[in-house]
Every structure is written in C-alpha cells, then in structure tokens.
Amino acid sequence: MHKKKYFFKFILGSLFILLLIFGLSRKEAKAETTSNISVILDLTGIMRDSSGNAIIDGKYATREEFAQMLVQASLYAGEVKSSNKLKLFKDVPKNNSKGAYIQIAVSKGYMSGYLGGMFKPTKAVTLKEAIYATLGILGYTKNDFTGKLSDARYDTFKELGLDKNLTLSAEDKLTKKNCETLFYNLLNAKQKTGEIYGTVLGYSLNDDNEVDYQSLLDKKMKGPVVTKKGWENNLKNKLSSYTIVRNDKIITSDNIEDNSIVYYAEQAKRIWVYNEKEYGMLEKITYNQGEPQEFTVSGSTYTVEKPESMKKIIKDADIAKGMIVAILLGRDEKVSCVLPIKSTLADSNWEKQLSFDLKEGTIYKNDAKTTSAEIHSGDVVYYSEQLETIWAFDKKVYGPLDNITLSQGEPQELTISSTSYTVEDSKEMKNKFKSNSIQKGVSVVLMLGWDDKVSKVLKLSSMVAEGSWQQELSFDLSQGKIYKDGLKVTSAKIESEDVIYYSNQLKTLWVYGKKIYGVLDSVSPNISSPETIVVAGKTYNLKLMPLASSEEHDGNADNMIGNAWGERLRENGIDEGDNVVLLFGYNGNVVDILTVDKMPVTIIGYVLSIDNKVVKDENQNSTVKRVIRMVDTEGTIREFPCSDIAISKSAVVEVNFKFSNPVITILNSSVGAVPTDITTKKLAQDIRIVEVKEANYSKLTSAELTQSSWNTGNVLYSKLNSANEITDLIVTNVTDSFYQYAVLEKVTLPGANGGSNYIQMTFDMGQKETTIAMDNVKWDFNLGPKAIQIEDNELKDMQSLNQVRIAYISGKQANTSQAVYRIADDVLVYFYKNGEYYTGSLEDITNFDSRNVYGYMKQLQGPIRVIIVTD
C-alpha cells in the first residue's frame, strides 16, 4: 500500500535532478525539447484547425496549409472569419476552406502567386518560400535587403535564429516536423523593431527569453478532472482522438485508471494523466480567507491546487481534521482532490457497509496486497467507496490501561505496559470511553490501525472459571483463541478458579492461573480506598480494577481504582486478619480478593518447624498453641495452629479451611503420590517448585530443575494439571542451593602456638573471610574448595567438591574437551600462587596453555562453583 512517500523515492528523485543539472545525453535533452515544441505549437493553435485537427495532412506541408499556419501565427488570425472570400487565383475556388488564409497571406505580403494567376495550393512549400514568409511576419520588406535578395534574406533568416535545428537547402520541402521547428523559432525570434515576436502575440517568456511552456500550458489547459464514470464528457472530441501522456510517455485511453487526475487542452488535443495518491491522517488544514491552502497528511504537507473548488469538495464530503483521507495529486504534486476513508471493525456483517463488491476491490492487509479471504473478524478495516479500496490491520495490544492522557477532555494517548499509543480520533474515543465506562485500570484491547494509531478500543469482560462459566461466551471455545499466562493454549488448559478475561467480539480468552492464600496482614492507606495490601507477609500493589468491575466510580483517575477495591473489600466482607485468596491477572497484578470461605482453598506444604506460640483464638483472645511453620509450593512461609501431634517436622501436609479455620492433615500415599515416570512429564509454564532439606527451603525455577539430576526418589509431592503437566513439586536433594562455597585456606588445631582449645577453620568466600571454631570436626578438613552450610556461626555441613580440568571457557560455559559444564553466576575465581589464594574474575583467565585451570562443583553435572588457576 502506498501509504506515504518513502525515503528511497526522495533519493531517486534527487539523483534524477542531479542528472538533469549536470546534463543528460544530448539525445534525451533534444527529445524533451522537441516534445515541448510540439505541445507549444499545438497550444498556440498555429498548426491545428478550429476542430483541433492537424493542418498538415500529408508528408509535406502544402502551400495552402502553410498559408493557414502563417495567418494563425500572425496578428491577423482573428480576421479570417470576417474576410471576404475573393477569387484571387484560378486554382483557389471560393469554397476552398483555406481560401481566406491564402487571401490574407498574399495581401499582407507573406506569400505570392505564380504567373498565369495560379497559386498552386497543393504544391509542397519550400524553405525559400518559408524564409520569405517568416521575415515578412517579422516586419521585413525587400527594402531591408541589398544585393542578391535571396542571399540577403537567408543571411537575415540565420541571424534571427530562424534556422535553428533546420538543416535544409532553399528548395527543400518542409515536413510537419520542419514546420514545428520553424514556427517555434519564429515565436522566439526578434521582430525588426526588436521585440521577441511571441510577446507581440501575448505569450510570456521564460528565463531564456523563449516562449514559456508552463505559462502557455496554464492558460490553455483545463482541469483537474477526476476520472470517474462519464469524465470524458468534458471533452469536445472522442477520447481516442487525443494524445494521452502519463509520466512523459504516450499511453492509450485504456490505460487511464479510475480516480486518476487528468488535464486536457482542446487546441492541442492532448490529455495529461496523473495517478499518484497519498493516504493517511489529515492532521491539519491551513486556510486563507476561508479557503484551504495546504493539507498536512501523516506528517507531510501538500499545497492545494485550486482552493476555491477544494472548499466545495471538503464541504460536500464532510472532510475534517483527524480523518483518514486519500489525496489525489495532480500537476506539481498539488492536491487536486481529497476523498474520505471510513473505518469499521470486521465482524460477520461488516461487508454490508460497502457500496461495491468486495471481490472486485483492491485489498491490502498490513500494507501488503491480498484478497478478501485474509480479512478476519476483529481486524480494523478502512475503506474508500470511490477508490473501491480496502486497508485492513490486525495488530492488537492487550492489557489494563496504565494511563489515559487527555487534552480538553479528549483522550490523546493510551498507555499499556509503559508503552503509549496515539489515539486516531480523540473525539470518537471520548464517546467510546463514556458509553463503555472505560477508565484507568480497566483491561482492554487496543485495535491499532493506520500508522499504528489506536482506531478502536474494546473493553474486556472478566470472570472466574467456576460453575457454568462457559455460558457467558457467545462462541464455541473450540472456535476461539485462548491464551494462558501469555501462551496460546487449548481449552483443556483452563482450570477451575482460573481468572478469565474475554472478548466475545474477538472470540478470544486471556487466562491466568496464579493464586495466593494467606492472612491479610494489613491494608494501606485505608480499607475504604486501599492502594496496597500485605498478605502472608508480602506486599502487593493494587494497580488494576477488580475483576468483573463494570461500574463507573466517582472521583478522579488517581483514586478510582482505590475506591473500586474499597467496594470489593466491603462486598466480600474482608478485613485485616482474615484468611484470604488473591487472584492474579495481567503481569502478575492482583485482580480479586476473596475470603477462603468463598473459594475452595487447598494448600500443600512442607513442615519446617513446630513451636509453641502465642496466637489469637476464634474469639480473638491470646492463647498459647502448638504452631507449625511450613513452606508451600509457591515458596511462601505460613504458620497455622495444629494440635495434631502426628504432624512433625519434615512432613508434607495439606491445609483446607472450614469456616475460615485451617484443617491440617498429613498427605497419605494416595494424595500427591509421585508417578513413576515423573521425570518424563512436561513442566507447566507456571510450575511452582520448592526444594527442602530439614529446616531449610529454596524456590527453584524450571531451568534449575532441568539442569539438575533428579528422579522419583527426590520428589516428596507432585501435582499434575488436566493436560498432564507438572504444576507443583516439593523436592529434596536435587540442587546444591542450600550450600555456600568457599576455599578452606587454613586450619588451626587446638592448642597450636598456645592458642584456642578449639579447631579453627578459615574460609575465603570471595569477598570476605570467615573463621569457624569447633571442638570437634567430623568432616575431612583438607585445604581447598568446599561446599559448606553455616547457621548461627556454626558449621552444619562441609563437603569437598568434584574437580575437572578446564580446556577453555566460552561465556558461562566451561569446556573440558570431554564435557561442557555451566558456570554459576556467582562463581568464585582464585589464582593460587606460593600457597596463597588471590581473588580474580572470569575475565582475568586469558591463557589456558601455560596454566592449569580447574573447576569445582558439588554435583557431577554442575554447575561449576569455584575455579582455581595455577601456574
């Protein structure tokens, strides 16, 4: 689609101009001049009759034809009709159509007859006769010449430039082309009195003191005319009788496209065709005395060709600033016509808005020419009735409105995920926002159209996947598009209690499965208009409107969201201290908050510790109870009162709620039973993994899990979704994430040098040294790289690392020539010399040939935790 003038067009145009400046070939330059000469002679009417037909009918100009051209090139052209036709010559009857011209030409002394009263009208005219005639028109008589008259006349003929581009002898006959050249030279020659003859006839001159082609064209040319049905009725003659020019090339009438701009000159019987069009947003109309002078379309400014007629076009077509338009360019790339381009959203009935057959129109999709089959429901469609052209775009942006930039109450920009999009029609968008209660925080789909501007906005509906939720949809799920947590999925991936945003018009669902359970610790700044909440010790900002919130709230944009959340808390009867469920949507933002009574809640976790603590009972009285501290698969720490003494440390438990009170049970062998093929199953995109060991835990990513060696024996609990993907895992002894890494660089035995009675071990941990004192060491304390666990300055575990020799390092990978190992992001690098360790970095390791480079890792598959370089 030719939406805008591309840069390469400018470059080509510039190169063309330079070629003209520095000179094309003489042949090309001559062709251009010759073409203009023909048009000039046609426009002056010198070589055409009153019907626009060429006067010269044969190979050579006859004397009677030359007489007609002479008179039409003289000041006596207007006297032809009033001249009395006298029979001056025997061979020129009174009914001769050229008789009056012959009479004037002879009476003015431009031509003469032959002996015997003959004129010989059909005899070919010669250069000698043409010299006599043209000098006569310029005011010369025989009294101006001496000596041999014919030679004297010829010398003057040359001095005046009348012989330019004529290489003829005196008796040579004149062709049509010779006559064109001769009369063009005549117009540019000086009269005997000194004036250039063309000015005597009323023609303007250019900078070269020659008859100005452009000025003459302006006077004689009619137009612009848009080539729609019946346009040729403007012409006096049949279209086929005109010479038609487009881009300086002659074409046939069949090649004139609809909605081109044409100009025509009846005297020249010539038509000029322009079919360049530009499309885009009409950003500005510059007026002068109420008439449009310039249009600015998509950043480019164009001059209006005829302001007076353009004023009527604008009024009739209801053209206004902010519309998408097509401008039709004519001469000098000026705007000859402007057409409105309408827009709509493709649905099942959108084609009915068109007044033309879609299959016969020209169609573009995302700027590429295509067919109607590529236009789909939900596409933004622009169309021009007159051009029978359609432009479709399918780019969409989904998400909540972070910000709405207004100007005089109208939306100018819409922001989603920190990216701002310009609104195409701010007035229409204002009405759309008002009628659909669209405001900041609401989830929408921006339909991007021309120049990636927002053409349409669809407000999304929302719900929770529970009960008969599918009845809210007006389309079959199998026919729609479904995205879950950013990935395209099938309906099988939608699980009970998932958050769903949907558009019936687009037949699209956006689904989110993340949920958080815990105690609502606090609400800020207040419960009536909260901005943040703290649940299970973690703070969440309330950036989006609550789920299924369609009511327009009072107040400014800054507190609308807070007011909506205040209403949601009141509706659900939620206060600080309640056990709640948070539902999450776009970009991990909270979209709803419910009490655990309103949604089935099951928490699976690993018991880290058990203590007696002061807690509130159901009557909010303080009492001492047995409390378990557990971590769930989200990695969230939770504490619940638990009187069941069968539940102990390291147990995997299930927590349900009854009347908001937790009910805790140990998972039996059937609940959370680990499939024997667990390691072959696909990990869900939003998998939750926690690794535990005694009283420690660590959240793992799916990447960390897949890079580790694990099997059924490492899995304490697993959960699969309906697609047989792993969604939750509690594992143990999979990674080395509970260890720190260091170099044991010094061991001091009890009593050494009169010192302590304890064994003292000094570890270099990269940026610091740590010394641990113990009365008994049960581990191997040979010096070198170690994996250690330290709690409360007490060494809980220490293990030696596996060693490999590194051949070279590429990025974060170490190659041993036999295997490749990942290098940990926090790898420790040391240079060892003369019994001392010096801290370095990966970038410092530059020579593997003259040095020994060793990598150390806890697990055989990696990653490498320590690198030591020795000479």
Side-chain angles (χ1 to χ4, degrees):
M1 183 184 83
H2 306 296
K3 273 174 57 177
K4 53 185 75 172
K5 292 184 177 179
Y6 295 105
F7 184 65
F8 76 86
K9 289 174 66 179
F10 169 77
I11 295 296
L12 289 177
S14 299
L15 290 173
F16 178 71
I17 291 169
L18 288 173
L19 283 172
L20 287 179
I21 291 173
F22 291 107
L24 296 170
S25 70
R26 290 184 179 180
K27 182 179 179 181
E28 290 172 324
K30 183 177 179 181
E32 176 65 20
T33 302
T34 304
S35 174
N36 285 350
I37 289 173
S38 298
V39 177
I40 287 173
L41 269 297
D42 284 342
L43 291 174
T44 59
I46 291 174
M47 297 184 65
R48 289 188 178 272
D49 62 23
S50 58
S51 297
N53 298 315
I55 292 175
I56 299 175
D57 192 39
K59 181 177 180 181
Y60 298 106
T62 65
R63 281 171 51 81
E64 63 180 1
E65 290 170 344
F66 192 72
Q68 182 174 356
M69 292 186 289
L70 273 175
V71 173
Q72 291 185 169
S74 74
L75 292 171
Y76 305 104
E79 298 180 9
V80 173
K81 290 183 180 180
S82 60
S83 296
N84 293 319
K85 293 183 179 179
L86 302 175
K87 186 174 175 57
L88 297 179
F89 300 99
K90 295 178 183 179
D91 54 355
V92 181
K94 283 189 177 183
N95 61 355
N96 186 317
S97 61
K98 295 178 174 49
Y101 296 102
I102 294 172
Q103 179 180 323
I104 294 174
V106 172
S107 66
K108 300 301 179 184
Y110 304 152
M111 297 182 74
S112 60
Y114 289 87
L115 293 175
M118 307 296 285
F119 185 76
K120 298 184 181 181
T122 59
K123 181 177 180 290
V125 70
T126 64
L127 178 63
K128 181 179 179 181
E129 293 171 309
I131 292 172
Y132 183 92
T134 52
L135 289 176
I137 283 182
L138 294 176
Y140 291 90
T141 67
K142 65 179 181 179
N143 297 326
D144 295 309
F145 307 106
T146 59
K148 190 176 181 180
L149 292 181
S150 60
D151 291 344
R153 283 193 176 98
Y154 184 65
D155 290 339
T156 304
F157 184 79
K158 289 198 298 180
E159 288 173 9
L160 294 172
L162 290 167
D163 69 330
K164 184 179 180 182
N165 295 321
L166 286 174
T167 54
L168 300 171
S169 60
E171 300 303 323
D172 283 345
K173 304 170 185 177
L174 299 186
T175 65
K176 178 182 179 181
K177 185 62 65 178
N178 297 151
C179 290
E180 283 182 352
T181 303
L182 175 64
F183 283 109
Y184 181 75
N185 292 343
L186 174 64
L187 293 175
N188 296 306
K190 289 184 179 180
Q191 286 197 114
K192 179 181 175 182
T193 54
E195 301 96 342
I196 291 178
Y197 183 64
T199 62
V200 176
L201 298 178
Y203 302 133
S204 300
L205 303 180
N206 59 24
D207 292 340
D208 295 326
N209 278 331
E210 295 178 346
V211 172
D212 185 41
Y213 168 77
Q214 197 64 45
S215 173
L216 186 58
L217 200 59
D218 290 340
K219 287 181 180 180
K220 303 293 184 177
M221 180 184 283
K222 295 182 180 180
V225 175
V226 180
T227 57
K228 50 190 178 182
K229 186 176 180 180
W231 74 270
E232 60 271 24
N233 293 335
N234 292 282
L235 306 175
K236 290 183 178 180
N237 300 282
K238 289 184 179 180
L239 180 60
S240 58
S241 67
Y242 290 78
T243 299
I244 305 171
V245 180
R246 184 179 65 199
N247 298 330
D248 295 327
K249 294 182 179 179
I250 295 177
I251 62 171
T252 65
S253 59
D254 294 337
N255 291 320
I256 301 178
E257 301 174 2
D258 289 342
N259 298 296
S260 295
I261 296 296
V262 299
Y263 304 83
Y264 60 96
E266 293 292 1
Q267 281 180 296
K269 251 191 173 179
R270 184 175 289 255
I271 295 172
W272 293 266
V273 181
Y274 298 82
N275 55 12
E276 185 175 358
K277 302 174 182 68
E278 298 295 338
Y279 311 88
M281 177 175 284
L282 182 55
E283 298 168 349
K284 183 180 180 182
I285 305 176
T286 303
Y287 286 91
N288 182 25
Q289 296 182 348
E291 294 181 346
Q293 306 296 316
E294 290 181 334
F295 290 154
T296 300
V297 176
S298 294
S300 297
T301 300
Y302 303 87
T303 301
V304 173
E305 183 175 10
K306 294 192 174 181
E308 185 177 355
S309 58
M310 187 61 69
K311 179 180 179 180
K312 185 176 185 305
I313 292 173
I314 288 176
K315 183 179 179 180
D316 293 345
D318 199 21
I319 302 292
K321 175 185 172 182
M323 293 178 62
I324 301 297
V325 297
I327 56 173
L328 281 55
L329 302 181
R331 294 176 59 202
D332 301 324
E333 293 193 335
K334 292 182 178 180
V335 182
S336 301
C337 185
V338 59
L339 302 174
I341 295 178
K342 302 175 183 178
S343 67
T344 187
L345 200 60
D347 55 21
S348 57
N349 297 313
W350 77 272
E351 295 178 37
K352 294 181 180 179
Q353 301 179 45
L354 305 178
S355 62
F356 59 92
D357 188 344
L358 182 60
K359 294 179 181 178
E360 295 183 2
T362 303
I363 301 172
Y364 299 91
K365 177 75 174 282
N366 298 329
D367 294 347
K369 197 170 184 179
T370 184
T371 64
S372 59
E374 294 301 314
I375 300 179
H376 304 299
S377 179
D379 287 352
V380 175
V381 175
Y382 299 84
Y383 61 95
S384 168
E385 302 280 4
Q386 188 164 336
L387 299 178
E388 295 190 358
T389 303
I390 290 172
W391 301 266
F393 301 89
D394 62 4
K395 187 174 180 180
K396 302 174 180 66
V397 177
Y398 155 73
L401 283 172
D402 298 335
N403 190 47
I404 303 171
T405 303
L406 301 175
S407 176
Q408 297 181 344
E410 296 179 350
Q412 307 296 316
E413 287 186 336
L414 307 178
T415 302
I416 289 180
S417 295
S418 301
T419 300
S420 295
Y421 302 88
T422 303
V423 172
E424 184 177 281
D425 188 335
S426 57
K427 185 173 292 185
E428 179 189 344
M429 196 65 67
K430 177 184 179 181
N431 296 332
K432 181 77 173 178
F433 277 27
K434 184 175 181 180
S435 61
N436 291 275
S437 298
I438 296 175
Q439 53 200 344
K440 181 179 176 181
V442 168
S443 290
V444 297
V445 175
L446 306 184
M447 323 290 285
L448 304 187
W450 217 289
D451 294 334
D452 282 341
K453 292 182 178 179
V454 182
S455 176
K456 312 288 180 185
V457 175
L458 296 182
K459 182 180 179 181
L460 297 181
S461 302
S462 57
M463 59 182 170
V464 175
E466 56 185 1
S468 55
W469 65 270
Q470 294 181 349
Q471 294 182 4
E472 298 294 324
L473 305 177
S474 63
F475 59 94
D476 191 308
L477 269 179
S478 62
Q479 302 299 315
K481 295 179 182 178
I482 304 172
Y483 300 89
K484 184 167 184 181
D485 298 320
L487 299 177
K488 193 172 184 179
V489 299
T490 65
S491 59
K493 291 291 185 73
I494 302 176
E495 298 184 347
S496 179
E497 317 305 333
D498 280 350
V499 168
I500 298 175
Y501 290 89
Y502 65 96
S503 167
N504 282 321
Q505 191 168 356
L506 298 179
K507 297 182 180 180
T508 305
L509 280 70
W510 293 266
V511 184
Y512 302 91
K514 182 179 178 181
K515 305 171 187 66
I516 291 291
Y517 315 100
V519 175
L520 178 59
D521 299 321
S522 63
V523 179
S524 298
N526 55 69
I527 202 162
S528 62
S529 185
E531 296 175 4
T532 61
I533 57 174
V534 179
V535 174
K538 188 172 181 180
T539 301
Y540 300 93
N541 294 317
L542 303 177
K543 297 180 179 179
L544 308 186
M545 296 292 286
L547 199 66
S549 176
S550 59
E551 181 181 353
E552 186 171 357
H553 297 272
D554 296 331
N556 58 47
D558 293 331
N559 61 23
M560 281 181 183
I561 297 175
N563 292 340
W565 276 106
E567 289 183 16
R568 182 56 53 89
L569 292 175
R570 289 193 295 275
E571 290 169 358
N572 294 341
I574 294 175
D575 207 340
E576 292 180 352
D578 291 343
N579 283 306
V580 296
V581 183
L582 298 184
L583 304 183
F584 293 81
Y586 182 85
N587 272 0
N589 285 295
V590 178
V591 296
D592 211 348
I593 180 169
L594 306 166
T595 62
V596 291
D597 296 334
K598 290 188 176 182
M599 177 174 284
V601 174
T602 299
I603 303 173
I604 305 297
Y606 172 86
V607 179
L608 298 171
S609 61
I610 302 175
D611 293 292
N612 291 323
K613 289 190 174 184
V614 176
V615 297
K616 299 285 187 180
D617 60 17
E618 57 271 16
N619 297 317
Q620 296 301 304
N621 295 319
S622 297
T623 182
V624 177
K625 287 189 176 184
R626 184 174 184 266
V627 175
I628 66 168
R629 183 173 181 267
M630 59 175 280
V631 60
D632 66 12
T633 55
E634 288 275 4
T636 302
I637 297 295
R638 304 178 184 280
E639 292 186 347
F640 297 104
C642 179
S643 58
D644 187 351
I645 60 174
I647 295 176
S648 60
K649 286 176 60 176
S650 303
V652 177
V653 297
E654 177 183 272
V655 182
N656 292 289
F657 293 87
K658 186 175 183 180
F659 305 115
S660 298
N661 294 315
V663 178
I664 305 169
T665 56
I666 296 179
L667 288 183
N668 56 40
S669 57
S670 61
V671 180
V674 180
T676 56
D677 60 345
I678 186 70
T679 58
T680 65
K681 294 187 179 299
K682 185 178 179 181
L683 304 181
Q685 191 261 343
D686 58 347
I687 187 171
R688 297 168 287 273
I689 312 170
V690 63
E691 183 178 18
V692 296
K693 184 175 183 180
E694 298 178 355
N696 300 296
Y697 75 95
S698 176
K699 285 188 67 175
L700 297 183
T701 65
S702 56
E704 289 173 323
L705 182 68
T706 54
Q707 290 169 1
S708 302
S709 176
W710 63 289
N711 53 46
T712 305
N714 298 108
V715 183
L716 302 180
Y717 168 80
S718 67
K719 181 182 177 182
L720 305 178
N721 61 18
S722 56
N724 208 30
E725 298 172 333
I726 306 173
T727 61
D728 295 84
L729 279 176
I730 299 177
V731 297
T732 188
N733 296 324
V734 171
T735 71
D736 50 9
S737 57
F738 300 117
Y739 288 86
Q740 294 175 282
Y741 297 90
V743 170
L744 178 57
E745 60 179 0
K746 182 179 181 182
V747 176
T748 304
L749 298 176
N753 300 321
S756 170
N757 292 323
Y758 295 94
I759 298 175
Q760 293 184 341
M761 290 179 289
T762 301
F763 296 96
D764 188 317
M765 304 175 73
Q767 299 298 322
K768 65 176 182 177
E769 282 191 352
T770 298
T771 299
I772 303 293
M774 302 185 67
D775 57 2
N776 183 32
V777 177
K778 56 184 177 181
W779 306 286
D780 169 21
F781 49 82
N782 291 326
L783 302 181
K786 303 289 182 182
I788 58 177
Q789 280 185 313
I790 300 175
E791 291 182 16
D792 299 327
N793 206 35
E794 181 180 345
L795 187 65
K796 294 292 186 180
D797 191 18
M798 181 173 68
Q799 297 181 22
S800 296
L801 301 180
N802 298 292
Q803 174 186 292
V804 292
R805 183 167 181 176
I806 299 173
Y808 63 88
I809 294 173
S810 177
K812 285 297 183 71
Q813 291 185 323
N815 194 304
T816 67
S817 298
Q818 295 180 339
V820 177
Y821 298 93
R822 181 171 68 88
I823 299 174
D825 290 339
D826 57 352
V827 65
L828 299 176
V829 178
Y830 295 96
F831 288 79
Y832 182 73
K833 189 170 185 178
N834 299 328
E836 296 287 341
Y837 290 95
Y838 299 91
T839 303
S841 66
L842 286 176
E843 290 74 19
D844 296 326
I845 307 173
T846 57
N847 192 333
F848 292 86
D849 295 329
S850 60
R851 288 178 168 176
N852 298 316
V853 182
Y854 296 97
Y856 297 87
M857 50 199 171
K858 184 176 181 296
Q859 295 177 309
L860 291 175
Q861 73 272 17
I864 291 176
R865 299 289 185 173
V866 180
I867 295 176
I868 296 178
V869 182
T870 64
D871 291 332

